[in-house]
Amino acid sequence: MPEPCGYRERFFFQLKHSHPNAYAIYLMISIVSIWSGSWYLADTWASGQDLLAPVSAVAPVVAAKHLFLLVLGLTMLYIDDQSLDELVLMRTSRLKPIDRRRGQWGKAVVYLKRHYPNLIAVYTYIGIILSWCGTWGLLWDIPIQPFWRSWMTIALGFLMLYVDDLKLTEV
């Protein structure tokens, strides 16, 4: 693999290879931004609401609830196999041998994967859904007009995906 030469290339090479979990979260936020902004814009327009109507400020408790969902989902997926690839791949992770350094919860997950693969698949999907809902809720709670919020999140999502490798292949 050729060594990246620019600052951006080195940063994302380092992020992908040294911190794959952080890169998975980066991709998830990018994709959720695009989809939630598009869906919210279309839904608001289709329901006949005024896209430029003023929006009241969101209570901090609501944002805290969404942040809790995001952290809970990410924690569930991380406990599974200490990888957050499921956020991007949208499937359960492969079976790995039991690592003696894993805690009791990690060993229990490996046991469940071997003996009850359907149960662990449901567990993984719940973690993915919680992560997406938490991120989606945080994006929806931006206290600006629906039209600008939607376009801002769509643009941010595409920009984040494009800056990575100057391609939009993840969409």
Side-chain angles (χ1 to χ4, degrees), residues 12-85:
F12 281 105
F13 181 83
Q14 181 77 13
L15 186 65
K16 287 178 190 177
H17 298 288
S18 298
H19 307 288
N21 290 333
Y23 184 69
I25 293 171
Y26 174 84
L27 285 179
M28 179 201 60
I29 291 171
S30 303
I31 293 168
V32 170
S33 297
I34 293 168
W35 285 106
S36 69
S38 302
W39 184 84
Y40 189 69
L41 182 65
D43 184 59
T44 305
W45 175 79
S47 65
Q49 297 177 13
D50 183 8
L51 294 171
L52 297 175
V55 176
S56 62
V58 177
V61 173
V62 175
K65 288 178 184 178
H66 290 297
L67 186 60
F68 174 75
L69 289 176
L70 174 61
V71 170
L72 179 64
L74 292 175
T75 303
M76 287 175 66
L77 293 174
Y78 186 76
I79 287 172
D80 183 358
D81 67 351
Q82 296 171 345
S83 167
L84 297 178
D85 290 340

Side-chain angles (χ1 to χ4, degrees), residues 68-138:
F68 174 75
L69 289 176
L70 174 61
V71 170
L72 179 64
L74 292 175
T75 303
M76 287 175 66
L77 293 174
Y78 186 76
I79 287 172
D80 183 358
D81 67 351
Q82 296 171 345
S83 167
L84 297 178
D85 290 340
E86 293 92 350
L87 288 173
V88 179
L89 302 176
M90 300 304 249
R91 62 178 171 78
T92 57
S93 58
R94 62 211 163 276
L95 186 61
K96 294 180 181 177
I98 295 177
D99 185 1
R100 302 285 179 221
R101 296 172 296 184
R102 294 189 78 165
Q104 292 298 328
W105 184 250
K107 290 177 184 176
V109 169
V110 171
Y111 175 81
L112 289 173
K113 278 186 179 184
R114 289 197 174 136
H115 293 79
Y116 304 101
N118 292 331
L119 181 64
I120 203 66
V122 170
Y123 171 85
T124 300
Y125 293 133
I126 289 172
I128 291 170
I129 290 167
L130 289 175
S131 299
W132 277 63
C133 287
T135 304
W136 193 15
L138 287 173

